[in-house]
Amino acid sequence: MWVFTKSGYYSVVKKPGCALDELEVRARCRKDLEVLKKQTGAKSKILTNAGTDYPFRIRMSREIWAKFLADEALSIDYPNFKDEVLFGKAEGPRRRRHRHDVYHEVWRALLSLSEKPGRKQRCKRKELEDTMEDDQDLMKEITRRQNEADDGQQGH
């Protein structure tokens, strides 16, 4: 299972060696697992370079993982996930920007799953125009928020 949250990306699997009620939670960023541990109270040690393409991992009970997922679902109060990643307070501005950009690339790649064979070119053009308008609106909002943040920092 892949899980994308405002503050972390996790790949969760049942590896050989896991206890019956245990899962292995893997991450590309150590900080993601540190946040997960803090949010859940999990005591597992973060293993470093213990696997292949995920350099960080912990093991946790299914119950703790399920509660984390439920808490994440219950905390949704935003109208757009990628915007929340970009403008939220989960990480510093640089990390938020980087995470947003990576998540956006995943979103773009997954868009191909929704394409239906034989769609008319007109529909694709309309979708592209809508996406471009959304991106322009987003860039205006980013600029506005950055200017507000800059103004706030200059006041201190």
Side-chain angles (χ1 to χ4, degrees):
M1 168 188 284
W2 286 357
V3 176
F4 296 83
T5 71
K6 296 180 291 189
S7 58
Y9 158 67
Y10 309 100
S11 173
V12 184
V13 294
K14 176 76 171 175
K15 285 287 199 179
C18 284
L20 188 59
D21 71 333
E22 197 174 50
L23 297 169
E24 187 166 287
V25 182
R26 308 174 304 176
R28 300 214 189 276
C29 304
R30 181 182 185 88
K31 183 77 172 166
D32 292 1
L33 290 179
E34 290 170 355
V35 169
L36 176 65
K37 285 181 62 169
K38 184 176 181 180
Q39 287 180 307
T40 63
K43 303 295 183 210
S44 304
K45 180 181 176 187
I46 297 174
L47 302 176
T48 302
N49 295 322
T52 53
D53 58 336
Y54 291 94
F56 307 101
R57 336 173 150 237
I58 62 172
R59 291 198 173 165
M60 65 174 26
S61 75
R62 288 176 182 269
E63 187 176 327
I64 291 174
W65 177 251
K67 183 173 180 337
F68 168 74
L69 290 177
D71 289 346
E72 285 293 305
L74 292 171
S75 73
I76 296 171
D77 62 355
Y78 46 84
N80 182 290
F81 177 66
K82 292 188 311 297
D83 287 355
E84 181 63 20
V85 169
L86 182 60
F87 299 121
K89 301 294 182 205
E91 300 177 289
R94 272 193 172 153
R95 295 285 303 162
R96 288 193 317 261
R97 164 53 75 185
H98 182 66
R99 187 175 298 278
H100 168 272
D101 292 350
V102 169
Y103 285 9
H104 184 77
E105 288 304 310
V106 172
W107 173 86
R108 186 179 299 279
L110 292 173
L111 190 59
S112 67
L113 292 175
S114 64
E115 301 223 359
K116 297 176 185 170
R119 264 186 143 174
K120 293 182 180 177
Q121 208 50 28
R122 183 184 76 233
C123 292
K124 289 188 178 194
R125 189 169 44 251
K126 175 68 174 140
E127 288 175 47
L128 180 58
E129 289 169 1
D130 290 346
T131 301
M132 290 170 53
E133 287 175 17
D134 289 346
D135 287 348
Q136 290 169 350
D137 291 344
L138 176 60
M139 291 311 298
K140 287 177 188 173
E141 181 67 10
I142 290 169
T143 302
R144 185 186 69 74
R145 289 187 183 195
Q146 285 174 338
N147 289 338
E148 286 177 1
D150 292 345
D151 291 345
Q153 288 178 352
Q154 289 174 358
H156 289 101

Short mmCIF file of all heavy atoms in Angstrom, two decimals, residues 14 46 51 53 67 73 85-86 95 105 116 121-122 143 147:
data_model
loop_
_atom_site.label_atom_id
_atom_site.label_comp_id
_atom_site.label_asym_id
_atom_site.label_seq_id
_atom_site.Cartn_x
_atom_site.Cartn_y
_atom_site.Cartn_z
N LYS A 14 3.78 -6.41 4.19
CA LYS A 14 3.94 -7.49 5.17
C LYS A 14 5.15 -8.29 4.72
O LYS A 14 5.09 -9.08 3.79
CB LYS A 14 2.68 -8.36 5.18
CG LYS A 14 2.76 -9.56 6.08
CD LYS A 14 2.60 -9.16 7.51
CE LYS A 14 2.47 -10.41 8.38
NZ LYS A 14 2.44 -10.07 9.77
N ILE A 46 13.91 3.14 13.93
CA ILE A 46 14.01 3.34 12.48
C ILE A 46 15.27 2.64 12.00
O ILE A 46 16.38 2.95 12.45
CB ILE A 46 14.04 4.83 12.11
CG1 ILE A 46 12.73 5.51 12.53
CG2 ILE A 46 14.28 5.00 10.61
CD1 ILE A 46 12.71 7.02 12.33
N GLY A 51 17.10 -2.17 3.40
CA GLY A 51 16.39 -2.78 2.28
C GLY A 51 16.88 -2.26 0.96
O GLY A 51 17.98 -1.73 0.87
N ASP A 53 15.09 -0.21 -2.24
CA ASP A 53 14.88 1.17 -2.68
C ASP A 53 14.26 2.08 -1.62
O ASP A 53 14.11 3.27 -1.85
CB ASP A 53 14.06 1.21 -3.96
CG ASP A 53 12.70 0.56 -3.81
OD1 ASP A 53 12.56 -0.30 -2.93
OD2 ASP A 53 11.80 0.89 -4.58
N LYS A 67 -5.02 2.91 13.00
CA LYS A 67 -5.43 4.11 13.74
C LYS A 67 -4.83 5.36 13.08
O LYS A 67 -5.50 6.38 12.96
CB LYS A 67 -5.02 4.03 15.20
CG LYS A 67 -5.51 5.24 16.00
CD LYS A 67 -5.25 5.10 17.47
CE LYS A 67 -5.71 6.27 18.29
NZ LYS A 67 -5.86 7.55 17.66
N ALA A 73 -7.59 10.35 7.93
CA ALA A 73 -8.87 10.54 7.23
C ALA A 73 -9.77 11.51 7.99
O ALA A 73 -10.40 12.40 7.39
CB ALA A 73 -9.58 9.20 7.04
N VAL A 85 -0.55 20.41 0.95
CA VAL A 85 0.85 20.03 1.10
C VAL A 85 1.73 21.27 0.90
O VAL A 85 2.67 21.51 1.67
CB VAL A 85 1.24 18.93 0.08
CG1 VAL A 85 2.74 18.71 0.03
CG2 VAL A 85 0.51 17.63 0.43
N LEU A 86 1.39 22.07 -0.10
CA LEU A 86 2.20 23.25 -0.42
C LEU A 86 2.06 24.36 0.62
O LEU A 86 3.04 24.98 1.01
CB LEU A 86 1.82 23.78 -1.80
CG LEU A 86 2.60 24.98 -2.32
CD1 LEU A 86 4.09 24.66 -2.43
CD2 LEU A 86 2.05 25.41 -3.67
N ARG A 95 10.75 22.22 2.02
CA ARG A 95 10.32 20.83 2.02
C ARG A 95 8.89 20.69 1.49
O ARG A 95 8.58 19.76 0.77
CB ARG A 95 10.40 20.23 3.44
CG ARG A 95 11.79 20.13 4.00
CD ARG A 95 12.60 19.03 3.41
NE ARG A 95 11.95 17.75 3.57
CZ ARG A 95 12.26 16.69 2.87
NH1 ARG A 95 13.21 16.73 1.97
NH2 ARG A 95 11.63 15.55 3.06
N GLU A 105 3.93 15.28 -9.61
CA GLU A 105 4.41 14.39 -10.67
C GLU A 105 3.72 13.03 -10.58
O GLU A 105 3.38 12.43 -11.59
CB GLU A 105 5.93 14.24 -10.62
CG GLU A 105 6.66 15.49 -11.08
CD GLU A 105 6.25 15.92 -12.48
OE1 GLU A 105 6.25 15.07 -13.40
OE2 GLU A 105 5.93 17.11 -12.66
N LYS A 116 -9.70 7.30 -21.21
CA LYS A 116 -10.46 6.27 -21.89
C LYS A 116 -10.06 6.25 -23.36
O LYS A 116 -9.96 7.29 -23.99
CB LYS A 116 -11.96 6.56 -21.76
CG LYS A 116 -12.44 6.52 -20.33
CD LYS A 116 -13.90 6.89 -20.24
CE LYS A 116 -14.31 6.96 -18.79
NZ LYS A 116 -15.63 7.54 -18.62
N GLN A 121 -10.67 14.46 -29.37
CA GLN A 121 -9.60 15.43 -29.18
C GLN A 121 -10.13 16.69 -28.49
O GLN A 121 -9.44 17.29 -27.69
CB GLN A 121 -9.01 15.76 -30.56
CG GLN A 121 -7.58 16.18 -30.59
CD GLN A 121 -6.62 15.27 -29.83
OE1 GLN A 121 -6.82 14.08 -29.68
NE2 GLN A 121 -5.58 15.85 -29.34
N ARG A 122 -11.36 17.07 -28.79
CA ARG A 122 -11.95 18.27 -28.20
C ARG A 122 -11.98 18.16 -26.67
O ARG A 122 -11.69 19.11 -25.97
CB ARG A 122 -13.36 18.48 -28.76
CG ARG A 122 -14.02 19.76 -28.26
CD ARG A 122 -15.45 19.90 -28.76
NE ARG A 122 -16.30 19.01 -28.00
CZ ARG A 122 -17.13 18.12 -28.53
NH1 ARG A 122 -17.25 17.98 -29.81
NH2 ARG A 122 -17.86 17.35 -27.75
N THR A 143 2.15 32.99 -5.37
CA THR A 143 2.80 34.31 -5.34
C THR A 143 2.19 35.18 -4.25
O THR A 143 2.92 35.82 -3.49
CB THR A 143 2.66 35.00 -6.72
OG1 THR A 143 3.24 34.15 -7.71
CG2 THR A 143 3.34 36.34 -6.72
N ASN A 147 4.25 36.47 -0.99
CA ASN A 147 4.36 37.89 -0.70
C ASN A 147 3.87 38.20 0.70
O ASN A 147 4.50 39.00 1.42
CB ASN A 147 3.54 38.72 -1.72
CG ASN A 147 4.20 38.72 -3.09
OD1 ASN A 147 5.39 38.48 -3.24
ND2 ASN A 147 3.42 38.99 -4.12
#
